[in-house]
Amino acid sequence: MEPREGVSKQDIREQIWDYMESQNLADFPRPVHHRIPNFKGASRAAEHFPRLQAFKMARTIKVNPDAPQKNARFFVLDNKKTLLVPTPRLRTGLFNKIIPPPGATKDVLRRCATSEGVRNYSAPVGLDSRVLVDLVVVGSVAVSEKGWRIGKGEGYADLEYAMMVSMGAVGPGTPVVTIVHDCQVVNIPETLLEDHDLTVDYILTPTRVITTGCERPKPTGITWSKISWEMLGKIPILRSLRCREEQAGKDVTLRDEPRHLLATPSIVRKPRGPPLPELGSGQVEDVPSSTVYVGNLPRDARVSELKTALGVLGAAPLRLTWQGPQRRAFLHYRDAASAQRALFCLQGFHLGANALKVARARQQRTSDLVGGRAEEPHPDHRPSVADP
């Protein structure tokens, strides 16, 4: 099956999806449209994976969470290598490290390689983890023997790789593998490729292994001009990386960013109000400007969960004041600039199902902090301080 002349990426996707549906080439979930197809024979295609020299040499391997790569994830665990799996739609971080229970049997390892296992046997990997990824596995809707790749159109695989580059987790020589059905290997016009598109070095199908010899450079980092405000709002770790790159002096202007909202820390700084009165005046609690207030915590939240999430986002404070019964916490940073960066990175932060309230602590009205009345904390309810 070959694409028609003058087609777009979406035309090729639709052609592949329609063909796989008409020929009954996919397993659950169906229909395959708008998905990385879970094609019949995916397990057989993955059997080539541990035979690759790149696999044998790798110690840490990142594999996408889609169903057709389940067997690839199992082979990583079964060969006692470190498995990293991106979090779905990058909602809670970049990826999780899968940690099988001690003495895990092959059956348990297969369970760890499923989406349920990823939820139950994993730990988040933070921005400061200094992880090095030796091999990357991505899903594809279509791929060419030259290494050109087309995903399902949301750009997450390309973005994941670019984020790993920004973290220093991968480099130009890090090999990329994709596992697809034979019908997904088609000619793709090079004119459809853009600088942010990820190419692949190996294609595994049920019947063959293709070494692409692709020399087209892979993404060298995040192309911020391709990122929208909407995507930035959905991906907390992307905001953290943007904050870091902005501090390093890089141009982080977004695709749809108005000129009067150029990316500087001032975009989240609230206007100065009148001088702050003393606590007890019933208006504003005078807290150091290096402190960030976090409110609307889930009722059953634990301090360890909050600290883990902050670490994943690259916003870990020097210390943390926990007020769980009041469903709030205070994050204490080294200085006002560090607090401002954290405030920027934590906008839109969720813990569980709760959208958290995040703001400079000194700008929180006392009535907001104690549930509607201005009063000193009772001596029996002093906030607990926990080092992160």
Side-chain angles (χ1 to χ4, degrees):
M1 185 186 68
E2 293 301 325
R4 302 180 304 274
E5 289 294 326
V7 297
S8 66
K9 287 182 180 179
Q10 188 60 26
D11 291 333
I12 294 175
R13 293 185 189 104
E14 296 291 346
Q15 200 171 342
I16 294 286
W17 288 328
D18 290 346
Y19 181 81
M20 296 187 79
E21 279 295 324
S22 67
Q23 301 300 311
N24 195 30
L25 295 177
D27 290 325
F28 177 85
R30 300 277 294 271
V32 296
H33 295 78
H34 310 293
R35 306 180 190 275
I36 299 296
N38 185 23
F39 61 93
K40 293 180 178 179
S43 295
R44 189 163 69 254
E47 290 175 1
H48 299 299
F49 189 42
R51 301 171 192 155
L52 293 177
Q53 187 63 23
F55 178 94
K56 295 175 182 178
M57 295 176 63
R59 291 185 294 179
T60 299
I61 302 176
K62 173 251 158 185
V63 184
N64 72 304
D66 296 306
Q69 275 69 54
K70 180 177 67 176
N71 227 31
R73 295 191 291 272
F74 164 73
F75 285 129
V76 175
L77 296 174
D78 192 43
N79 282 268
K80 296 181 171 54
K81 300 177 185 290
T82 298
L83 173 61
L84 302 178
V85 179
T87 58
R89 297 181 178 271
L90 306 176
R91 284 189 293 263
T92 58
L94 181 50
F95 35 55
N96 288 347
K97 177 181 177 181
I98 310 305
I99 306 174
T105 63
K106 287 185 182 293
D107 285 342
V108 172
L109 292 181
R110 290 189 185 280
R111 195 156 60 246
C112 290
T114 64
S115 56
E116 178 185 358
V118 171
R119 289 193 300 270
N120 297 334
Y121 299 97
S122 67
V125 176
L127 284 177
D128 298 318
S129 63
R130 301 186 185 279
V131 65
L132 294 176
V133 177
D134 304 305
L135 184 59
V136 172
V137 180
V138 296
S140 302
V141 173
V143 65
S144 77
E145 293 190 16
K146 294 181 178 180
W148 316 153
R149 172 191 170 275
I150 295 176
K152 59 186 176 183
E154 296 180 334
Y156 281 102
D158 301 320
L159 183 57
E160 287 164 10
Y161 186 88
M163 292 168 73
M164 287 192 287
V165 172
S166 295
M167 289 175 60
V170 297
T174 306
V176 177
V177 178
T178 193
I179 303 175
V180 296
H181 191 276
D182 287 277
C183 76
Q184 294 174 259
V185 182
V186 298
N187 287 331
I188 298 174
E190 187 173 2
T191 54
L192 295 181
L193 269 64
E194 300 178 72
D195 291 343
H196 66 275
D197 286 330
L198 180 61
T199 57
V200 303
D201 302 288
Y202 299 97
I203 303 168
L204 311 184
T205 80
T207 65
R208 56 183 177 152
V209 175
I210 302 169
T211 302
T212 67
C214 183
E215 296 182 356
R216 184 184 178 92
K218 293 182 173 62
T220 57
I222 300 169
T223 306
W224 293 106
S225 60
K226 298 288 185 181
I227 304 296
S228 67
W229 273 106
E230 181 182 10
M231 179 172 279
L232 191 72
K234 292 178 178 177
I235 305 176
I237 195 171
L238 188 60
R239 297 197 295 275
S240 299
L241 283 169
R242 184 176 186 242
C243 186
R244 289 188 174 199
E245 295 203 356
E246 179 186 24
Q247 293 299 316
K250 295 185 179 180
D251 182 0
V252 295
T253 305
L254 304 181
R255 182 180 70 204
D256 50 358
E257 186 166 18
R259 292 188 62 82
H260 68 285
L261 288 179
L262 291 180
T264 66
S266 62
I267 66 174
V268 293
R269 187 176 296 132
K270 294 184 179 180
R272 288 186 179 274
L276 298 175
E278 296 295 327
L279 179 64
S281 67
Q283 296 299 317
V284 180
E285 182 176 0
D286 190 6
V287 181
S289 61
S290 58
T291 300
V292 172
Y293 162 80
V294 177
N296 195 38
L297 292 166
R299 295 187 183 280
D300 58 350
R302 298 181 179 181
V303 64
S304 58
E305 294 172 331
L306 178 59
K307 289 194 291 186
T308 298
L310 293 170
V312 169
L313 295 174
L318 290 177
R319 57 191 181 89
L320 184 152
T321 301
W322 178 255
Q323 296 182 341
Q326 290 78 36
R327 300 176 62 193
R328 69 188 184 218
F330 293 90
L331 314 180
H332 307 283
Y333 293 91
R334 184 179 307 277
D335 50 35
S338 299
Q340 187 66 52
R341 287 193 295 271
L343 185 63
F344 177 75
C345 295
L346 294 175
Q347 295 304 307
F349 178 30
H350 282 66
L351 192 65
N354 286 30
L356 304 190
K357 299 177 181 178
V358 182
R360 277 290 180 86
R362 69 178 299 150
Q363 295 178 342
Q364 288 297 309
R365 294 188 177 277
T366 308
S367 59
D368 292 337
L369 300 182
V370 295
R373 290 184 300 160
E375 61 183 23
E376 294 280 349
H378 192 280
D380 293 336
H381 297 281
R382 295 182 184 275
S384 61
V385 178
D387 291 327

